[in-house]
């Protein structure tokens, strides 16, 4: 392999692995990541690439190269906008609107300059989700506003703990503790009518819906290792949420 091909191969590996890592870290299912990585390699001129993806790491080799590279994945969150942006860059690369170097540079920029909504917008969204789902699930409009407030406070506790302590599932547990405590007090002091309705609505922003959905999709696609791992991860989050609520119901 000449120096030009070797250099292009190294850049292809870097770009494809980085794109896959960003997607996994932000909540993409494994089948989409594999498809994106294979398309990047194919469009870069390496049609016989081999890739193995799990939620904790990606292994990849490209045509005519014996060695493989591994990209570890240590953090996982949820940012569907990042996934959409990586897919958009992949499509532009396939359409030759950008070259491989520009693709790599834009991935670097995306990774280090993420455009998040302000905290107040996220908190307001959590409030609206909580109150709306309380009405949808339980049809008890008098508890709409108090559910909005408690859901927002519970999400802020979850968000704050995530920023301060990097301990998995602790933020879900403490967020649900806050929700359980406030729901009990709200009913006790007659700010709300149904404690169960308020709790059901308020915990909705904390429920791991996307990881659970991706776990099912991975299993159906044949990615059993990643599917089971995602399912266990979602189950642990659900247990943390349920444990926080149960603890407050037992104490108070």
């Amino acid at each position: 392999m000449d120096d030009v091909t070797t250099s292009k191969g190294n850049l292809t590996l870097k770009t494809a692995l980085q794109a896959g890592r960003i997607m996994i870290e932000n909540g993409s299912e494994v089948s989409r990541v594999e498809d994106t990585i294979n398309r990047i390699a194919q469009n870069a001129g390496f049609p016989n690439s081999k890739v193995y993806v799990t939620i904790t790491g990606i292994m990849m080799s490209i045509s005519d190269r014996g060695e493989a590279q591994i990209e570890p994945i240590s953090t996982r969150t949820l940012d569907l906008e990042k996934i959409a942006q990586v897919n958009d860059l992949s499509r532009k690369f396939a359409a030759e609107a950008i070259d491989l170097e520009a693709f790599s540079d834009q991935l670097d920029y995306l990774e280090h300059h993420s455009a998040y909504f302000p905290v107040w917008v996220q908190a307001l969204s959590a409030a609206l989700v909580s109150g709306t789902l309380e009405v949808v699930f339980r049809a008890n409009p008098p508890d709409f506003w108090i559910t909005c407030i408690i859901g927002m406070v519970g999400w802020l506790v979850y968000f704050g703990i995530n920023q301060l302590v990097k301990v998995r599932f602790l933020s879900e547990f403490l967020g649900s503790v806050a929700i359980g405590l406030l729901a009990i007090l709200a009913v006790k002091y007659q700010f709300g009518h149904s404690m169960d309705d308020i709790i059901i609505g308020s915990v909705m922003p904390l429920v791991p819906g996307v990881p659970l959905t991706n776990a099912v999709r991975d299993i159906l696609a044949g990615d059993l290792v990643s599917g089971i791992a995602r399912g266990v991860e979602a189950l642990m989050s659900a247990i943390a949420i349920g444990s926080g609520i149960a603890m407050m119901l037992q104490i108070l």
Side-chain angles (χ1 to χ4, degrees):
M1 221 182 241
D2 58 39
D3 292 341
V4 175
T5 304
T6 300
S7 177
K8 185 177 181 181
N10 290 335
L11 184 58
T12 299
L13 277 172
K14 172 188 175 297
T15 304
L17 288 171
Q18 185 179 17
R21 176 171 53 78
I22 292 173
M23 294 177 72
I24 288 289
E25 285 179 344
N26 290 280
S28 178
E29 64 272 22
V30 168
S31 57
R32 176 179 294 188
V33 175
E34 290 178 343
D35 181 66
T36 299
I37 291 176
N38 283 325
R39 288 179 183 274
I40 291 172
Q42 183 175 358
N43 292 323
F46 300 96
N48 299 317
S49 62
K50 304 294 187 298
V51 60
Y52 177 70
V53 180
T54 71
I55 63 171
T56 56
I58 304 172
M59 181 183 297
M60 181 183 182
S61 66
I62 58 177
S63 310
D64 302 324
R65 294 171 63 110
E67 70 275 11
Q69 288 192 16
I70 299 175
E71 185 79 11
I73 298 168
S74 56
T75 60
R76 286 177 297 280
T77 183
L78 182 62
D79 190 341
L80 300 183
E81 185 175 357
K82 269 191 175 182
I83 298 173
Q85 289 176 338
V86 172
N87 283 332
D88 184 57
L89 289 173
S90 177
R91 294 188 188 97
K92 288 182 179 179
F93 178 59
E96 299 183 354
I98 57 174
D99 58 16
L100 190 60
E101 290 79 6
F103 191 178
S104 178
D105 291 341
Q106 291 190 43
L107 286 176
D108 290 335
Y109 182 85
L110 173 63
E111 190 165 14
H112 296 100
H113 298 83
S114 300
Y116 290 105
F117 289 105
V119 174
W120 69 268
V121 173
Q122 298 181 54
L124 180 61
S125 299
L128 293 176
V129 166
S130 299
T132 302
L133 290 178
E134 186 272 335
V135 174
V136 170
F137 290 147
R138 290 291 187 168
N140 196 5
D143 288 337
F144 173 79
W145 292 110
I146 190 64
T147 304
C148 287
I149 294 171
I150 293 175
M152 180 175 66
V153 173
W155 183 87
L156 286 172
V157 171
Y158 162 80
F159 179 83
I161 296 299
N162 262 340
Q163 301 301 307
L164 294 175
V165 183
K166 302 301 182 183
V167 178
R168 294 301 307 273
F169 313 119
L170 179 63
S171 54
E172 289 96 337
F173 176 76
L174 294 179
S176 65
V177 166
I179 288 170
L181 174 62
L182 292 175
I184 293 170
L185 294 177
V187 173
K188 180 178 180 180
Y189 292 103
Q190 299 183 352
F191 291 107
H193 298 80
S194 173
M195 182 174 60
D196 292 342
D197 295 359
I198 294 171
I199 290 174
I200 288 172
S202 299
V203 299
M204 285 302 150
L206 307 182
V207 172
V210 173
L212 192 58
T213 301
N214 283 342
V216 175
R217 294 185 66 174
D218 286 344
I219 291 173
L220 293 177
D223 300 305
L224 300 181
V225 173
S226 295
I228 293 173
R230 284 187 194 272
V232 171
E233 194 173 49
L235 178 62
M236 291 297 295
S237 292
I239 290 173
I241 295 170
S243 298
I245 297 294
M247 185 181 76
M248 297 313 300
L249 292 177
Q250 289 295 321
I251 291 176
L252 299 179

